[in-house]
Amino acid sequence: MRRLMSSTKWPQTRTGTGILSPQPEENPHWWNANMVFIPYCSSDVWSGVTPKTDHSDYAFMGSLIIKEVVNELLSKGLDKAKVVLLAGSSAGGTGVLLNVDQVAEQLASQGHRGVQVRGLADSGWFLDNKQYKFTDCLDTISCAPTEAIKRGIRYWGGLVPESCRQAHVGEEWNCFFGYKVFPTLKSPVFVVQWLFDEAQLTVDNIHLTGQPVHEGQWRYIQNLGQELRNTLRDVPAMFVPACLSHELITRTYWMDIQVKGTSLPRALHCWDRSLQDSLHSSCPLQLIDSCPWPHCNPSCPTIRDQLTGQEMSVIQFLKHMGFDVQKMAQQQGMDAKKLLGMLNNGN
């Protein structure tokens, strides 16, 4: 995608939103932190170390960009920081998993061992699962996750964390999938992930446009949520709402979403304190919805019809998804009216 390949079209200024906002009402804990935003222009999931050559007109330098930015920031006072939080969304979320230990190592090797390095990975925890419908790998959208990364890593000359590389010698593509790279990391990482991620559904060939969803697709979507839940079992700090969406930390509404009565900024603040002081370890850190279908969490962001842009209520959305209230009520062992009432109240 051209817009993800160069910095030439970047605006001169940007407004920080969500976790990048300087307003205390939008960003209660980190509004006055030093923030550096690095836009994505390397198209390599922040993994490349490949300059332009005689054979290729493209340079993929995502990993080197992060390294250079850290070096430059060290000359501007980063060495005096107590905590460095490397955060990213989507490809940037996967980029956090791929680079957080490298940044920690970079600071330590230059003598800055007092700086604690942590990661915040938003919407970058993808699954190398089976697609709903198999398609040949003709472009990035129809290409199955595993095949896309296998091709990409060859093309970008992608770099993965050393401990993960050793665990998957010759099959380094595994390290682009959160549940495989996470156990090999030394730095603490907080995982933010929608249970039903739109980017994941797209690569799995579930396209939620206009057409009602068939029962097979509905089952597939619910299974996807279950599979994702299973891969997060051993993650100590996470925020995983049962919504159909993509990216959260830089959204203006990021304070409104709740899991088990806790918002994401509060969960992150709690995690921050628990890493500095074990006395605060009683606060909730493994926040994951247990309800089984998209938007069963009442605080999910507004759903819009992808064709008309109209807002949809949860009931309209579930009907659009081919959700059979009678049948679902039977499965749950309850009266259909009662289930509809629960859905309307968002319980």
Side-chain angles (χ1 to χ4, degrees):
M1 292 179 176
R2 283 278 170 201
R3 63 189 178 79
L4 300 177
M5 291 167 68
S6 165
S7 58
T8 51
K9 298 257 171 70
W10 288 354
Q12 286 304 303
T13 59
R14 289 176 191 254
T15 304
T17 48
I19 202 171
L20 294 174
S21 170
Q23 310 298 329
E25 40 304 340
E26 191 180 330
N27 188 13
H29 303 301
W30 286 310
W31 61 274
N32 63 347
N34 292 300
M35 302 180 200
V36 177
F37 177 64
I38 322 174
Y40 186 41
C41 68
S42 57
S43 288
D44 56 4
V45 198
W46 298 100
S47 72
V49 287
T50 310
K52 190 172 121 168
T53 63
D54 296 341
H55 307 293
S56 168
D57 282 341
Y58 295 123
F60 296 100
M61 295 196 165
S63 187
L64 293 177
I65 290 169
I66 294 176
K67 212 171 196 159
E68 287 305 314
V69 169
V70 169
N71 279 337
E72 185 173 336
L73 292 175
L74 280 169
S75 69
K76 297 181 190 303
L78 186 73
D79 53 320
K80 296 178 186 68
K82 287 195 179 75
V83 174
V84 169
L85 181 63
L86 187 68
S89 298
S90 196
T94 310
V96 167
L97 298 168
L98 292 171
N99 288 282
V100 67
D101 277 358
Q102 178 196 295
V103 170
E105 181 51 43
Q106 186 180 349
L107 292 175
S109 69
Q110 296 186 35
H112 309 299
R113 293 186 181 276
V115 185
Q116 295 177 43
V117 177
R118 302 172 191 162
L120 170 56
D122 167 28
S123 305
W125 188 277
F126 293 103
L127 301 183
D128 51 343
N129 58 344
K130 282 200 163 58
Q131 290 176 297
Y132 175 63
K133 279 201 177 79
F134 176 76
T135 42
D136 285 329
C137 192
L138 301 175
D139 56 42
T140 44
I141 300 301
S142 65
C143 201
T146 312
E147 188 53 37
I149 290 295
K150 280 182 180 172
R151 292 186 183 198
I153 203 169
R154 287 198 296 270
Y155 196 40
W156 312 315
L159 202 63
V160 300
E162 183 55 25
S163 50
C164 189
R165 192 190 65 75
Q166 287 176 6
H168 299 281
V169 176
E171 299 200 319
E172 287 81 5
W173 58 267
N174 282 290
C175 299
F176 283 75
F177 294 97
Y179 73 103
K180 293 178 177 175
V181 67
F182 183 86
T184 71
L185 299 179
K186 299 185 194 77
S187 309
V189 175
F190 191 106
V191 176
V192 176
Q193 188 67 31
W194 300 108
L195 208 47
F196 306 97
D197 186 283
E198 287 174 321
Q200 178 79 53
L201 286 166
T202 300
V203 294
D204 287 339
N205 283 325
I206 297 267
H207 300 287
L208 301 171
T209 51
Q211 306 304 313
V213 170
H214 305 300
E215 192 172 346
Q217 289 174 302
W218 176 245
R219 262 204 314 273
Y220 183 93
I221 290 167
Q222 284 186 287
N223 282 343
L224 177 70
Q226 198 46 55
E227 280 180 45
L228 191 78
R229 204 179 268 114
N230 292 341
T231 66
L232 290 161
R233 211 176 272 137
D234 298 326
V235 175
M238 60 177 151
F239 186 85
V240 188
C243 311
L244 179 77
S245 197
H246 185 59
E247 301 193 357
L248 177 57
I249 59 173
T250 56
R251 302 289 190 213
T252 50
Y253 55 74
W254 80 306
M255 289 181 67
D256 304 335
I257 316 297
Q258 296 199 344
V259 177
K260 297 178 180 164
T262 300
S263 69
L264 177 54
R266 185 169 166 252
L268 286 169
H269 182 54
C270 172
W271 175 64
D272 196 37
R273 291 196 323 192
S274 74
L275 290 173
Q276 285 172 41
D277 177 359
S278 55
L279 292 175
H280 288 111
S281 56
S282 58
C283 58
L285 288 178
Q286 277 194 309
L287 294 162
I288 182 163
D289 273 332
S290 51
C291 62
W293 58 76
H295 280 66
C296 55
N297 175 332
S299 71
C300 285
T302 310
I303 317 157
R304 292 187 180 278
D305 183 297
Q306 286 177 308
L307 288 182
T308 63
Q310 295 291 102
E311 288 192 7
M312 298 166 91
S313 72
V314 172
I315 299 275
Q316 286 172 319
F317 168 70
L318 290 172
K319 282 192 173 143
H320 168 77
M321 295 282 282
F323 178 96
D324 182 332
V325 177
Q326 298 291 136
K327 195 169 169 187
M328 188 53 77
Q330 266 177 340
Q331 284 175 4
Q332 305 278 337
M334 64 167 72
D335 176 56
K337 277 201 181 77
K338 187 180 171 193
L339 180 62
L340 269 178
M342 279 173 63
L343 292 170
N344 269 326
N345 299 328
N347 291 326

